[in-house]
Amino acid sequence: MAFLPLYVYNWLFGSLLMSASVLFYVYGLPTINRFSGNLFTKQLYLGTLVIFFLGLLLFCLGFVVHTDKHRIKAMIRRRLFYAKAGNPLGLHEGDELPKVSVHLEYAGRIIIRGEIRIETTRTTADKLIALAPVISATLRRKFAALAVVATDTDPASTRVVYKIEDVNTSRKLKFDNPEDMYPQDVTKIAVQRDTYIDLTTSGSMLFAGKTRSGKTTAIISILIQILALGRDRFQSKVMILDPKRAELSMLPHVYAPSENGDAHAMLNAVKQFAATITKRQHYLNELSIERGGNAVHWWEAAMKPSILFIDEFVALRTLLPKRATKDDPDYSLAAFDNLLKRIITMGASSGSYVIISIAQANADELPTMLRDALSSRVLMRPTLAEARLLWDSRLLETIPERIYKAGQAWFTSTDGAHDDNVHFVDFPLLNFGEYQALGHLLKRYYS
C-alpha cells in the first residue's frame, strides 16, 4: 500500500466514500428516521450528500493525476524502495525514503525524452548511478521504449539525474540528394534529428571505427554540409588527405602520397592549412581592436568553417620518417605531430577544425596529446572495449551496449549538451552517390 501511486489512492478512497454514502442513504437513513426527528434526519441527509460528492471529487481527481510522470514515479518508487522488489538501495526500517521526481518531453503524444531525479542522503551517488540498468528495466508496458542513456550528479552528490530517451524511435536523417543537406546555420552540423555538432563551443573531431562501420560516410555527411556553405574571403579551406590512395584520392582537390609513398604534398597541405589559421586569427584580432577590444568570434566576422580531414590517420603517420634528414629538416613524423597539435589547439577560435579518421584510438596509433585535444569524439559501431580507449569508464556506465549497425555511434562533444555523458547517435543515410556528390562540391568550392 505504501508504494501505490496517488491516483490509485484517489480512486480507492473516492469509491469507498461514495459506496459508504450510498449504502447509508439506502439502509441507514430510513432506520434512523423512525427513531429521530425530521431535523436530525435532514442534517444526516445533507451530510451524506457532502460525503458522496467528496468521494466523487476524489475519484475524478484520480484521473487528473493519472499522468505518465506519476505512473513512472510509482514504478520507480515500488522497484527501488519496496522490500519485496529487492530493495536495491539497502534501505532500513525508519530510513527516510529518497525523493523521486519525473520530467518528460513529448513529440505529439509520444514521450521522446525525460529526466528521473532521485535525491537522498542515505546512500552514495555511485550506488544510485549503478542502478541505471534497474531503472531501464523497471520502465515497462507503455514506457518500455524508454531507457536510461546518461546520468548526472550534483557537486554534493546528493542527487542523481537519469536521462531517459525513447531508444526505439529512429532519429536518423535520410537524404535523397545533397541539396537537402545544405545547412541554415554556419555553426551547426546536423548529425540526426535534434542533434548537432555546435562549432561555436566544440573543437576538432575524432572518428574511430573499424572497416564498414560507416565512418567515412558519416564524415562525408559533415563535409557536404561544410562545402555547401561555400568559401569565405578569409582563405577558408576544405582539405582532404587520403594516405592510402583509396576512393577519396580519386576526387579533385584531394591530397595523396605519390606512387612511391612520398608524403611531401600531404605535409605541405597541413602547413598551408596552419598558415591560414594565422591569417584568419590576425584578421579577427584586428577586428577586435576596431571594436574597442571586445572579442569577435569567427561566425560574427562572416567567416565560414575551415576543415582539414585526415583519412586513415595511422597510414599517414607510417609514411613519414621518424627522423628528419639534414637536407629536409621539416619532413618528419615529429614535425607533423607538432604541427597538427598546434592546429587542433589553436584553430577553433578562427573557425578552423581537424577531422581525424582512425580504426582504433589506442595510444600506439593516436598519440595521447592529440587524442586529448580532440574535443568531439565519435565511435562508430561501438563496443565497450573500444569505447574505453576514448572515454573514462564512468561515462560508459549507463549507455546500453547492443549490436549496432553501420552509421550508429557513441558521441561526445564539448558543446554543453553532449559533454556530460556518452550519447547514442545515428548518422544520416545518404541515398545518393556520396563520393560523386563530394567531388562535385569540391569542384564548385574551389572554382
Side-chain angles (χ1 to χ4, degrees):
M1 286 286 290
F3 300 100
L4 289 175
L6 180 61
Y7 58 85
V8 173
Y9 283 114
N10 284 359
W11 290 340
L12 182 63
F13 288 112
S15 300
L16 254 151
L17 288 175
M18 287 190 292
S19 300
S21 60
V22 169
L23 288 172
F24 184 75
Y25 178 79
V26 173
Y27 298 107
L29 277 179
T31 304
I32 294 173
N33 191 38
R34 295 175 192 170
F35 304 100
S36 61
N38 290 334
L39 180 62
F40 182 65
T41 304
K42 187 177 181 180
Q43 291 173 337
L44 284 176
Y45 174 74
L46 291 174
T48 304
L49 279 179
V50 170
I51 292 172
F52 177 83
F53 283 110
L54 180 61
L56 181 62
L57 178 63
L58 281 173
F59 191 84
C60 292
L61 280 174
F63 289 96
V64 174
V65 299
H66 184 229
T67 60
D68 290 334
K69 69 177 184 179
H70 283 98
R71 293 174 66 186
I72 290 175
K73 180 178 178 179
M75 287 180 177
I76 299 301
R77 283 174 56 84
R78 183 174 179 82
R79 178 66 181 86
L80 298 187
F81 309 155
Y82 190 38
K84 291 184 179 179
N87 188 19
L89 289 177
L91 298 173
H92 299 95
E93 188 72 30
D95 283 352
E96 182 182 358
L97 293 179
K99 296 177 182 177
V100 180
S101 60
V102 179
H103 171 74
L104 301 174
E105 294 180 29
Y106 291 80
R109 299 180 67 180
I110 299 173
I111 303 171
I112 56 172
R113 67 178 66 89
E115 291 183 351
I116 298 171
R117 297 172 180 243
I118 299 180
E119 187 170 356
T120 181
T121 56
R122 295 294 181 180
T123 188
T124 64
D126 288 339
K127 280 187 178 180
L128 287 174
I129 290 172
L131 290 177
V134 175
I135 290 176
S136 294
T138 302
L139 301 173
R140 293 173 285 112
R141 296 188 289 275
K142 177 183 177 180
F143 313 110
L146 298 174
V148 177
V149 296
T151 59
D152 190 19
T153 59
D154 70 344
S157 295
T158 59
R159 183 182 69 240
V160 173
V161 178
Y162 303 88
K163 298 183 180 180
I164 56 175
E165 287 186 6
D166 183 342
V167 295
N168 289 346
T169 301
S170 175
R171 295 183 180 85
K172 192 181 189 76
L173 294 168
K174 299 178 182 179
F175 298 105
D176 294 322
N177 59 75
E179 287 77 16
D180 295 339
M181 301 180 67
Y182 293 2
Q184 302 296 317
D185 189 333
V186 298
T187 65
K188 291 187 177 180
I189 307 299
V191 174
Q192 63 180 12
R193 289 187 183 90
D194 304 324
T195 303
Y196 299 86
I197 296 175
D198 189 345
L199 297 179
T200 65
T201 51
S202 60
S204 291
M205 310 167 208
L206 171 64
F207 279 75
K210 295 177 180 177
T211 305
R212 301 188 183 281
S213 63
K215 182 172 73 246
T216 303
T217 301
I219 295 171
I220 288 176
S221 73
I222 292 174
L223 296 179
I224 287 176
Q225 295 179 66
I226 299 294
L227 288 166
L229 296 169
R231 300 189 76 181
D232 59 30
R233 57 188 180 89
F234 309 103
Q235 301 186 31
S236 66
K237 293 182 181 294
V238 174
M239 304 181 79
I240 301 174
L241 278 58
D242 183 3
K244 283 194 171 182
R245 294 174 58 88
E247 294 95 335
L248 288 171
S249 68
M250 301 294 105
L251 302 178
H253 306 285
V254 173
Y255 298 85
S258 64
E259 291 184 1
N260 64 3
D262 184 89
H264 273 89
M266 303 176 77
L267 186 57
N268 288 335
V270 178
K271 291 178 181 178
Q272 290 175 33
F273 191 83
T276 64
I277 293 176
T278 302
K279 293 176 182 178
R280 287 162 69 89
Q281 189 62 56
H282 179 70
Y283 173 78
L284 289 172
N285 292 343
E286 287 189 334
L287 194 58
S288 174
I289 294 171
E290 290 177 12
R291 297 184 182 181
N294 294 321
V296 179
H297 300 106
W298 61 266
W299 60 91
E300 297 170 335
M303 286 184 174
K304 295 176 182 178
S306 195
I307 300 291
L308 171 65
F309 167 38
I310 304 175
D311 193 28
E312 300 296 344
F313 179 73
V314 176
L316 175 54
R317 296 185 84 242
T318 58
L319 291 174
L320 297 167
K322 291 185 178 180
R323 293 184 179 180
T325 63
K326 291 182 179 180
D327 297 333
D328 200 351
D330 294 329
Y331 184 64
S332 69
L333 181 58
F336 168 73
D337 285 345
N338 290 333
L339 190 60
L340 193 59
K341 185 179 180 182
R342 177 169 159 260
I343 293 171
I344 292 171
T345 54
M346 298 177 62
S349 62
S350 65
S352 305
Y353 305 92
V354 176
I355 301 176
I356 289 178
S357 169
I358 194 169
Q360 196 172 42
N362 58 46
D364 295 332
E365 297 187 353
L366 180 67
T368 303
M369 66 174 184
L370 292 179
R371 185 196 64 192
D372 293 344
L374 294 161
S375 61
S376 294
R377 301 177 189 178
V378 180
L379 178 60
M380 309 298 299
R381 294 191 79 170
T383 64
L384 275 175
E386 294 173 300
R388 291 190 180 101
L389 299 174
L390 287 176
W391 297 289
D392 186 281
S393 294
R394 179 161 180 162
L395 295 178
L396 303 168
E397 289 178 346
T398 59
I399 190 162
E401 187 178 22
R402 61 178 190 265
I403 297 174
Y404 293 96
K405 301 176 182 177
Q408 296 179 333
W410 290 348
F411 162 71
T412 57
S413 181
T414 55
D415 57 3
H418 303 99
D419 51 357
D420 53 347
N421 285 97
V422 178
H423 296 259
F424 168 79
V425 292
D426 199 354
F427 278 85
L429 175 65
L430 309 183
N431 290 322
F432 55 84
E434 62 265 33
Y435 285 92
Q436 183 181 0
L438 182 60
H440 172 74
L441 286 169
L442 283 166
K443 280 183 181 178
R444 193 177 76 177
Y445 187 84
Y446 286 105
S447 62

